[in-house]
Amino acid sequence: MAIFQGKTIEDAIKQGLLTLNIEREQAEIKVLEEPQKGFLGIGGKDAKVEVSKKESDGERAAEFLNGIFDLLKLPATTEVKENDSKIEIELITTNPTAIIGYRGEVLDALQTLASAAANIGNEEYKKVSLNCENYREKREETLKALALRVAEKAVKYGRKFALEPMNPFERKIIHSALTDNDKVKTESQGVEPNRYVVVVPENLKQGSEIEFYGKSSGKNHSNNKDRRNNNKTPRRDRNEKPEVIKLEKKTIGFGTFLGNSKNEN
């Protein structure tokens, strides 16, 4: 922020805009002192204003992220590209694993926070996209390949296959990848944040249940059955007599309240 003076408030503002090389709509202006004419031209004072450049939505989001990185002691910086409808922020770091997280979970969380910071006070929502080490592009290619594999398997076995829960952006990639495939259709099921895509083949077998891709439901059922059997108490033979345990008669004493008992002599 800088302070500028002029015979009038408008003169002071113009001086500030010229010095900072910005337009009026880009400036934050605060009037510090009104001009005073004085008496007979003596004792007059110029107007004083404080002029600074407004932060853009993208700059505000980047500043917020940099604050988070400082708190978490993460070695990361930001590069911002923005227009009237979208903000793209590239995260540059020597520790991309910490910034991206497992399947982009940390990156997605940072993107949500950055979006909230960027849109403070905005009447129209501006989309914010975070990327690091081209993760978004790599993830998109991975999901497209996954969609094709799942579709092929669904058609082969005539069964519905569900993918793991994904965020809306990733689900959209799956849907788009199979839009032109006339052998399957896709639908989203579940409730956020555990909403997932189901691939349904046109040759669906009647009575078939949804199977989660990558998991063998039969094997899981078998393991569960074995686990249930192992947990069951063995049945006693009908001819086997139950064991009788004789209990000594005990008298309740003070020690009982301490978790002990007092034997009768």
Side-chain angles (χ1 to χ4, degrees):
M1 295 183 182
I3 297 175
F4 300 92
Q5 299 184 45
K7 288 187 177 182
T8 65
I9 291 176
E10 192 62 30
D11 288 341
I13 292 174
K14 287 179 179 180
Q15 182 62 36
L17 297 177
L18 183 63
T19 302
L20 298 176
N21 193 27
I22 58 176
E23 300 296 328
R24 190 163 189 139
E25 57 270 16
Q26 297 176 293
E28 288 187 358
I29 301 169
K30 182 179 180 181
V31 177
L32 301 177
E33 291 184 14
E34 297 279 352
Q36 296 180 8
K37 292 182 178 181
F39 179 72
L40 298 177
I42 300 174
K45 292 183 178 180
D46 287 346
K48 286 185 179 180
V49 299
E50 188 177 74
V51 182
S52 61
K53 183 181 179 181
K54 285 182 180 178
E55 280 186 327
S56 68
D57 296 331
E59 289 170 338
R60 185 166 59 250
E63 184 178 352
F64 178 80
L65 290 172
N66 289 331
I68 292 179
F69 298 148
D70 289 342
L71 288 174
L72 299 178
K73 299 184 182 337
L74 288 175
T77 57
T78 56
E79 286 187 357
V80 181
K81 295 180 182 179
E82 63 181 308
N83 53 39
D84 293 337
S85 60
K86 185 177 181 180
I87 299 170
E88 295 180 350
I89 302 177
E90 181 70 24
L91 304 182
I92 302 168
T93 178
T94 56
N95 188 2
T97 301
I99 296 294
I100 296 171
Y102 176 71
R103 294 190 178 174
E105 288 180 341
V106 176
L107 190 63
D108 289 341
L110 291 173
Q111 181 170 284
T112 299
L113 294 173
S115 180
N119 285 284
I120 292 175
N122 288 354
E123 293 182 1
E124 295 184 6
Y125 180 82
K126 185 177 288 188
K127 183 179 179 181
V128 178
S129 176
L130 260 64
N131 205 352
C132 181
E133 298 282 331
N134 292 321
Y135 171 78
R136 299 294 186 194
E137 292 79 5
K138 294 174 183 176
R139 179 65 172 162
E140 182 173 353
E141 292 303 315
T142 299
L143 291 174
K144 286 179 179 178
L146 173 64
L148 296 177
R149 289 199 303 272
V150 176
E152 183 179 352
K153 190 170 184 179
V155 172
K156 180 178 180 180
Y157 294 104
R159 296 174 61 87
K160 294 184 286 187
F161 282 89
L163 282 70
E164 65 181 355
M166 297 178 184
N167 60 44
F169 174 75
E170 294 190 339
R171 293 199 306 271
K172 184 178 179 181
I173 293 174
I174 298 295
H175 290 306
S176 298
L178 299 177
T179 297
D180 297 329
N181 191 324
D182 57 1
K183 295 182 180 179
V184 298
K185 63 180 180 179
T186 59
E187 55 189 39
S188 291
Q189 295 185 15
V191 180
E192 297 288 4
N194 297 314
R195 198 160 169 78
Y196 54 90
V197 176
V198 178
V199 180
V200 184
E202 291 297 325
N203 62 335
L204 179 66
K205 294 179 180 178
Q206 293 295 327
S208 62
E209 298 180 354
I210 295 179
E211 182 175 333
F212 278 84
Y213 181 77
K215 296 182 180 180
S216 174
S217 57
K219 183 178 180 181
N220 290 341
H221 292 328
S222 177
N223 290 340
N224 291 336
K225 184 178 180 180
D226 293 340
R227 194 178 295 113
R228 288 195 298 269
N229 289 337
N230 290 336
N231 290 336
K232 286 184 178 179
T233 304
R235 294 183 179 180
R236 187 170 59 240
D237 190 276
R238 292 182 179 180
N239 296 324
E240 180 183 354
K241 293 182 179 180
E243 181 181 0
V244 178
I245 301 176
K246 293 183 179 180
L247 299 177
E248 295 183 2
K249 184 177 181 182
K250 297 179 181 179
T251 303
I252 296 177
F254 180 75
T256 303
F257 295 97
L258 301 179
N260 302 314
S261 61
K262 186 175 181 180
N263 290 333
E264 187 182 38
N265 293 329

